[in-house]
Amino acid sequence: MSRPSASLRTTVVWEALQGALDQRAKASGRDELRVLDTGGGTGNFAVPVARLGHRVTVVDPSPNALFALERRAAEAGVAEQVHGVQGDVGGLFDVVERQGYDVVFFHGVLEHVDDPAAGLHNAVEALRPEGGTLSLLAAGLGGAVLGRALAGRFTEARAALGSPDGRWGESDPMPRRFTPEGLAELVSGSGLEIVSLHGVSVFSDLVPGALVDTEPEGLGALARLESAAAERSDLRAVAARLHLLAETGREVPPASGA
């Protein structure tokens, strides 16, 4: 069954990112920000951010993704603004500098790292201590439970509810999922002050593409519905993804075992 496009599912994230970048630029007094995109792949966010006039460093373990990033940036006319390096969040400071970035994207990474707290700590350490913004996008538990239940996989839905990692079984491709409360607690523990927490894909991962295609202006209407639902706490609990914005505040505590 086809679903609405991935670009629709990231509309809420992009709207929030644009606002966060504008606010960080005003706070820093610099029109050109230094942005670090961890796990940024082929540049879904990096290239649009570069087109806003910022410099973006993308760290990704896949050389194929970085090659596609280079080509995409060139086609968009921002090759000078985008720099890709091979690496991962575990060895982040082998390839980028500490405390050197105004904004760090940590999208689709936290659910895959072996130690979420340590991975998040590295992302935070990359921010300028005098003022930086973290954009974190992670898989949500509620959306997975609802999706399994609506597919008739009731046992799997219940398993996800009871799993400490939010997984519905051994064949679940997602290593870890988060509740809004769990994600907020993890980020607060890293020393950041949370600015906002949005639900992403509250409906888009559940609505058949055929319904969107047959309704006049269906895609736009669904995008507007997602934007309206994003900030509602009663709906973000069942979102497929959670998007959190946070800023450097109090002193960042050391990672466990560091």
Side-chain angles (χ1 to χ4, degrees):
M1 181 183 298
S2 63
R3 300 295 186 195
S5 67
S7 61
L8 176 94
R9 295 195 294 268
T10 58
T11 297
V12 169
V13 178
W14 179 241
E15 289 175 350
L17 280 182
Q18 286 182 291
L21 289 165
D22 288 344
Q23 290 179 13
R24 178 52 53 198
K26 291 176 182 177
S28 67
R30 294 187 299 275
D31 292 333
E32 182 184 87
L33 299 175
R34 294 192 68 200
V35 179
L36 175 65
D37 189 353
T38 61
T42 61
N44 285 340
F45 287 107
V47 170
V49 168
R51 294 182 69 177
L52 294 177
H54 306 301
R55 290 194 172 273
V56 187
T57 298
V58 176
V59 177
D60 197 276
S62 168
N64 290 335
L66 293 174
F67 176 77
L69 167 71
E70 182 178 355
R71 182 176 58 192
R72 188 174 191 173
E75 291 173 351
V78 292
E80 296 297 319
Q81 298 290 110
V82 178
H83 175 56
V85 292
Q86 190 172 0
D88 58 37
V89 71
L92 188 61
F93 301 114
D94 294 334
V95 293
V96 302
E97 64 183 288
R98 292 179 186 269
Q99 300 183 345
Y101 296 89
D102 300 288
V103 180
V104 171
F105 297 167
F106 203 56
H107 296 171
V109 178
L110 195 63
E111 52 267 65
H112 293 282
V113 296
D114 292 335
D115 185 339
L120 180 59
H121 183 268
N122 278 357
V124 174
E125 278 285 283
L127 289 168
R128 297 185 192 274
E130 69 273 17
T133 299
L134 175 77
S135 173
L136 192 160
L137 185 65
L141 172 62
V145 172
L146 188 59
R148 291 284 94 188
L150 291 178
R153 305 279 188 172
F154 308 122
T155 300
E156 291 177 350
R158 185 172 180 179
L161 276 176
S163 166
D165 291 326
R167 303 183 75 234
W168 43 257
E170 291 298 322
S171 60
D172 189 341
M174 186 63 67
R176 189 180 295 107
R177 295 185 179 89
F178 299 88
T179 64
E181 296 79 12
L183 191 64
E185 182 179 356
L186 185 63
V187 172
S188 295
S190 74
L192 295 184
E193 296 179 357
I194 297 172
V195 175
S196 64
L197 177 57
H198 300 101
V200 178
S201 298
V202 176
F203 307 103
S204 299
D205 283 6
L206 304 174
V207 176
L211 293 181
V212 178
D213 295 338
T214 55
E215 181 183 341
E217 300 183 1
L219 197 61
L222 182 54
R224 291 189 292 273
L225 177 60
E226 287 283 4
S227 294
E231 296 188 42
R232 292 188 53 140
S233 59
D234 54 342
L235 291 176
R236 71 184 177 211
V238 295
R241 298 165 189 79
L242 300 169
H243 181 225
L244 186 148
L245 289 170
E247 296 179 342
T248 48
R250 57 189 182 277
E251 183 180 353
V252 179
S256 56

